Amino acid sequence: MRLLTWLPGRLLGAAVVLIGASVLIFTAVRLLPGDYAQIVLGPLASAQEREALRTEFGFDHTVGEQYLLWLGQAVTGNVGRSLASGEPVAGELAARLPVTALLTAMAVVWTVVIGVPLGVLAGTRTGTARSTAAGRLVSSLGISVPDYVLAAIVVFALSSLPLGLSVGAVGSPAQDLGGTIVALLPPSLVLAVFAIAATARATRDSVLNVLVEPHVSAAVARGETRLFIITHHVLRNAAVPVLTLTGTITAMLLGGAVIVESVFDISGVGSYLVQGLGRRDYPVIQTCVLLATTVFVLMSLIVDIATGLLDPRVAVSGRNR
């Protein structure tokens, strides 16, 4: 019941954030250097030709008028047509979204399956100073190495070594789900490296903080086994900050897919956004960025709900604010 009284405020806040984000995105896209007329017509076009093209696509209106026209259509599901192809952006995006969604989902699975156990292991086992330093070094490398550097190394390895995997051979998940998963294994791992390192470090810190709590000391004094203490007393209390980080990382992975898809030649939302940026295809850019923003807001909302279920004190404090 507490969650039901707290949830409407979160939903309203999410709606306000999305509206504000749409205004910022719509305005920022049109502040990019070089407009669509300059990109399409080139530097030799006359001012009259450029003005005619701007009028044809409605760019002669003020940004506020353009936004209101776009918003009125967007609420009905019509986010506009691509200036380059003339096709509805929603249709082109829908064709590319399954690959990006699967890539992101696989990266999230790698993050949880590898990052969380590593963090729990690091937090519950006190090793030597050398092993601790090695763990910190690996974690720091995972966080600091850029995606595009690691992706380029993996692409070079796949192209040079007979590993049975190829670059760019990613089909449609609806037609060949198994083959698509196999093809997405290398890029999903590259995409997840930062997330794995960050999650492992956050899990370790959270576990260490819980281990010094009085209720854990009491469980040890009662003679409970180490495994029981970890599973029943440590993990649930350490899960809240890790869950929050995982939700943030999930939205971040969708943004990281832009680089990974471009390097691995994957026809997804990320490569679609890169193409739109190169062409100054405003409807494509603003729709892709708004999609990423929506995912971030939804993941934040889901994390808030899950956190409230794991720790009712969060829901009570959120309601009282």
Side-chain angles (χ1 to χ4, degrees), residues 23-61:
V23 174
L24 291 176
I25 293 168
F26 195 92
T27 305
V29 166
R30 280 152 179 77
L31 294 178
L32 290 173
D35 61 9
Y36 179 70
Q38 291 175 331
I39 298 296
V40 171
L41 298 178
L44 300 180
S46 64
Q48 292 78 6
E49 291 174 332
R50 293 178 182 176
E51 189 62 30
L53 188 62
R54 293 190 183 100
T55 303
E56 178 182 354
F57 289 101
F59 298 146
D60 55 333
H61 298 290

Coordinates of all heavy atoms in Angstrom, one line a residue, residues 23-61:
V23 N 12.2 18.9 -25.1 CA 12.5 20.3 -25.4 C 14.0 20.5 -25.6 O 14.4 21.1 -26.6 CB 12.0 21.2 -24.3 CG1 12.3 22.7 -24.6 CG2 10.4 21.1 -24.2
L24 N 14.8 20.0 -24.7 CA 16.2 20.2 -24.8 C 16.8 19.5 -26.0 O 17.7 20.1 -26.7 CB 16.9 19.7 -23.5 CG 16.7 20.4 -22.2 CD1 17.3 19.7 -21.0 CD2 17.2 21.9 -22.3
I25 N 16.4 18.3 -26.3 CA 16.9 17.5 -27.4 C 16.5 18.2 -28.7 O 17.3 18.4 -29.6 CB 16.3 16.1 -27.4 CG1 16.9 15.3 -26.2 CG2 16.7 15.3 -28.7 CD1 16.2 14.0 -25.9
F26 N 15.2 18.6 -28.8 CA 14.8 19.3 -30.0 C 15.5 20.5 -30.3 O 15.9 20.8 -31.5 CB 13.3 19.6 -29.9 CG 12.6 19.9 -31.2 CD1 12.0 18.9 -31.9 CD2 12.5 21.2 -31.7 CE1 11.3 19.2 -33.1 CE2 11.9 21.5 -32.9 CZ 11.3 20.5 -33.6
T27 N 15.8 21.3 -29.3 CA 16.5 22.5 -29.4 C 18.0 22.3 -29.7 O 18.6 22.9 -30.6 CB 16.4 23.4 -28.2 OG1 15.0 23.6 -27.9 CG2 17.1 24.8 -28.4
A28 N 18.6 21.4 -29.0 CA 20.1 21.1 -29.2 C 20.4 20.6 -30.6 O 21.4 20.9 -31.2 CB 20.6 20.1 -28.1
V29 N 19.5 19.7 -31.1 CA 19.7 19.2 -32.5 C 19.8 20.3 -33.5 O 20.6 20.2 -34.4 CB 18.6 18.2 -32.8 CG1 18.6 17.9 -34.3 CG2 18.7 16.9 -32.0
R30 N 19.0 21.3 -33.3 CA 19.0 22.4 -34.3 C 20.1 23.4 -34.1 O 20.3 24.3 -34.9 CB 17.6 23.1 -34.3 CG 16.6 22.3 -35.1 CD 15.2 22.5 -34.6 NE 14.3 21.7 -35.4 CZ 14.1 20.4 -35.3 NH1 14.8 19.7 -34.4 NH2 13.3 19.7 -36.1
L31 N 20.9 23.2 -33.0 CA 22.0 24.1 -32.8 C 23.3 23.4 -33.3 O 24.4 24.0 -33.2 CB 22.2 24.3 -31.3 CG 21.1 25.2 -30.7 CD1 21.3 25.3 -29.2 CD2 21.0 26.6 -31.3
L32 N 23.2 22.2 -33.9 CA 24.4 21.6 -34.5 C 24.9 22.4 -35.6 O 24.2 23.0 -36.4 CB 24.0 20.2 -35.0 CG 23.7 19.1 -33.9 CD1 23.2 17.8 -34.6 CD2 24.9 18.8 -33.1
P33 N 26.3 22.5 -35.7 CA 26.8 23.3 -36.8 C 26.5 22.6 -38.2 O 26.7 21.4 -38.4 CB 28.3 23.2 -36.5 CG 28.5 22.0 -35.7 CD 27.3 21.9 -34.8
G34 N 26.0 23.5 -39.1 CA 25.7 23.0 -40.4 C 24.3 22.4 -40.4 O 24.0 21.4 -39.8
D35 N 23.3 23.1 -41.1 CA 22.0 22.6 -41.1 C 21.8 21.6 -42.3 O 22.7 21.3 -43.1 CB 21.0 23.7 -41.2 CG 21.1 24.5 -42.5 OD1 21.9 24.1 -43.3 OD2 20.5 25.6 -42.6
Y36 N 20.6 21.1 -42.4 CA 20.3 20.0 -43.4 C 20.5 20.6 -44.8 O 21.0 19.9 -45.7 CB 18.8 19.5 -43.2 CG 18.4 18.5 -44.2 CD1 19.0 17.2 -44.2 CD2 17.5 18.8 -45.2 CE1 18.6 16.2 -45.1 CE2 17.1 17.8 -46.1 CZ 17.7 16.6 -46.0 OH 17.3 15.6 -47.0
A37 N 20.1 21.8 -45.1 CA 20.2 22.4 -46.4 C 21.7 22.5 -46.8 O 22.0 22.2 -48.0 CB 19.6 23.8 -46.4
Q38 N 22.6 22.8 -45.9 CA 24.0 22.9 -46.2 C 24.6 21.5 -46.5 O 25.4 21.4 -47.4 CB 24.7 23.6 -45.1 CG 24.4 25.1 -44.9 CD 25.1 25.6 -43.7 OE1 25.3 24.9 -42.7 NE2 25.3 26.9 -43.7
I39 N 24.2 20.5 -45.8 CA 24.7 19.2 -45.9 C 24.2 18.6 -47.3 O 25.0 18.0 -48.0 CB 24.3 18.3 -44.8 CG1 24.8 18.8 -43.4 CG2 24.7 16.9 -45.0 CD1 26.3 18.8 -43.3
V40 N 23.0 18.8 -47.6 CA 22.4 18.2 -48.8 C 22.8 18.9 -50.1 O 23.3 18.3 -51.0 CB 20.8 18.1 -48.7 CG1 20.2 17.7 -50.0 CG2 20.4 17.2 -47.6
L41 N 22.7 20.2 -50.1 CA 23.0 21.0 -51.3 C 24.4 21.3 -51.5 O 24.8 21.6 -52.6 CB 22.2 22.3 -51.2 CG 20.6 22.1 -51.2 CD1 20.0 23.5 -51.1 CD2 20.1 21.4 -52.4
G42 N 25.2 21.3 -50.4 CA 26.6 21.5 -50.6 C 27.0 23.0 -50.5 O 26.1 23.9 -50.5
P43 N 28.2 23.3 -50.6 CA 28.7 24.7 -50.4 C 28.4 25.6 -51.7 O 28.5 26.8 -51.6 CB 30.2 24.6 -50.1 CG 30.6 23.3 -50.8 CD 29.4 22.4 -50.6
L44 N 28.2 25.0 -52.8 CA 28.0 25.7 -54.0 C 26.5 26.1 -54.3 O 26.2 26.9 -55.2 CB 28.5 24.9 -55.2 CG 30.0 24.5 -55.2 CD1 30.3 23.7 -56.4 CD2 30.9 25.7 -55.0
A45 N 25.6 25.7 -53.4 CA 24.2 26.0 -53.6 C 24.0 27.5 -53.3 O 24.6 28.1 -52.5 CB 23.3 25.2 -52.8
S46 N 23.0 28.1 -54.0 CA 22.7 29.5 -53.8 C 21.8 29.6 -52.5 O 21.2 28.7 -52.0 CB 21.9 30.0 -55.0 OG 20.6 29.4 -55.1
A47 N 21.7 30.9 -52.1 CA 20.9 31.1 -50.9 C 19.4 30.8 -51.2 O 18.7 30.4 -50.3 CB 21.1 32.6 -50.5
Q48 N 19.0 31.1 -52.4 CA 17.6 30.8 -52.7 C 17.3 29.3 -52.7 O 16.2 28.9 -52.2 CB 17.2 31.4 -54.1 CG 17.2 32.9 -54.2 CD 18.7 33.5 -54.3 OE1 19.6 32.7 -54.4 NE2 18.8 34.8 -54.3
E49 N 18.2 28.5 -53.2 CA 18.0 27.1 -53.1 C 18.0 26.5 -51.7 O 17.1 25.7 -51.4 CB 19.1 26.4 -53.9 CG 19.0 26.6 -55.4 CD 20.3 26.0 -56.1 OE1 21.3 25.9 -55.5 OE2 20.1 25.7 -57.3
R50 N 18.8 27.1 -50.9 CA 18.8 26.6 -49.5 C 17.5 27.1 -48.8 O 17.0 26.3 -48.0 CB 20.0 27.2 -48.7 CG 21.4 26.7 -49.2 CD 22.5 27.3 -48.5 NE 23.8 26.9 -49.0 CZ 25.0 27.3 -48.6 NH1 25.0 28.3 -47.7 NH2 26.1 26.8 -49.1
E51 N 17.1 28.3 -49.0 CA 15.9 28.7 -48.4 C 14.7 28.0 -48.9 O 13.7 27.7 -48.1 CB 15.7 30.2 -48.7 CG 14.6 30.9 -47.9 CD 14.8 30.8 -46.4 OE1 16.0 30.9 -46.0 OE2 13.8 30.8 -45.7
A52 N 14.6 27.6 -50.1 CA 13.5 26.8 -50.7 C 13.5 25.4 -50.0 O 12.4 24.9 -49.7 CB 13.7 26.6 -52.2
L53 N 14.6 24.8 -49.7 CA 14.7 23.5 -49.1 C 14.3 23.6 -47.6 O 13.5 22.8 -47.1 CB 16.1 22.9 -49.2 CG 16.2 21.5 -48.7 CD1 15.4 20.5 -49.6 CD2 17.7 21.0 -48.7
R54 N 14.7 24.7 -47.0 CA 14.3 24.9 -45.6 C 12.7 25.1 -45.5 O 12.1 24.6 -44.6 CB 15.0 26.1 -45.0 CG 16.5 25.9 -44.8 CD 17.1 27.1 -44.0 NE 18.5 27.0 -43.9 CZ 19.4 27.6 -44.6 NH1 18.9 28.5 -45.5 NH2 20.7 27.5 -44.4
T55 N 12.2 25.8 -46.4 CA 10.7 26.0 -46.5 C 10.0 24.7 -46.7 O 8.9 24.4 -46.1 CB 10.4 27.0 -47.5 OG1 11.1 28.3 -47.3 CG2 8.9 27.3 -47.5
E56 N 10.5 23.9 -47.6 CA 9.9 22.6 -47.9 C 9.8 21.7 -46.7 O 8.8 21.0 -46.5 CB 10.7 21.9 -49.0 CG 10.2 20.5 -49.4 CD 11.0 19.8 -50.4 OE1 12.0 20.4 -50.9 OE2 10.8 18.7 -50.8
F57 N 10.8 21.7 -45.9 CA 10.8 20.8 -44.7 C 10.3 21.6 -43.4 O 10.4 21.0 -42.3 CB 12.1 20.2 -44.5 CG 12.5 19.2 -45.5 CD1 13.4 19.5 -46.5 CD2 12.0 17.9 -45.4 CE1 13.7 18.6 -47.5 CE2 12.3 17.0 -46.4 CZ 13.2 17.3 -47.4
G58 N 9.9 22.8 -43.5 CA 9.3 23.5 -42.4 C 10.4 24.1 -41.5 O 10.1 24.6 -40.4
F59 N 11.6 24.2 -41.9 CA 12.7 24.8 -41.1 C 12.6 26.3 -41.1 O 13.4 27.0 -40.4 CB 14.1 24.3 -41.6 CG 14.2 22.9 -41.5 CD1 15.0 22.2 -42.4 CD2 13.6 22.1 -40.5 CE1 15.2 20.8 -42.3 CE2 13.8 20.8 -40.4 CZ 14.5 20.1 -41.3
D60 N 11.7 26.9 -41.9 CA 11.6 28.4 -41.9 C 10.8 28.9 -40.7 O 10.8 30.1 -40.4 CB 11.0 28.9 -43.2 CG 9.7 28.2 -43.4 OD1 9.4 27.1 -43.0 OD2 8.8 28.8 -44.1
H61 N 10.1 28.0 -39.9 CA 9.4 28.3 -38.7 C 10.4 28.5 -37.6 O 11.5 28.0 -37.6 CB 8.3 27.3 -38.4 CG 7.3 27.2 -39.4 ND1 6.3 28.1 -39.7 CD2 7.0 26.1 -40.3 CE1 5.6 27.7 -40.7 NE2 6.0 26.5 -41.1

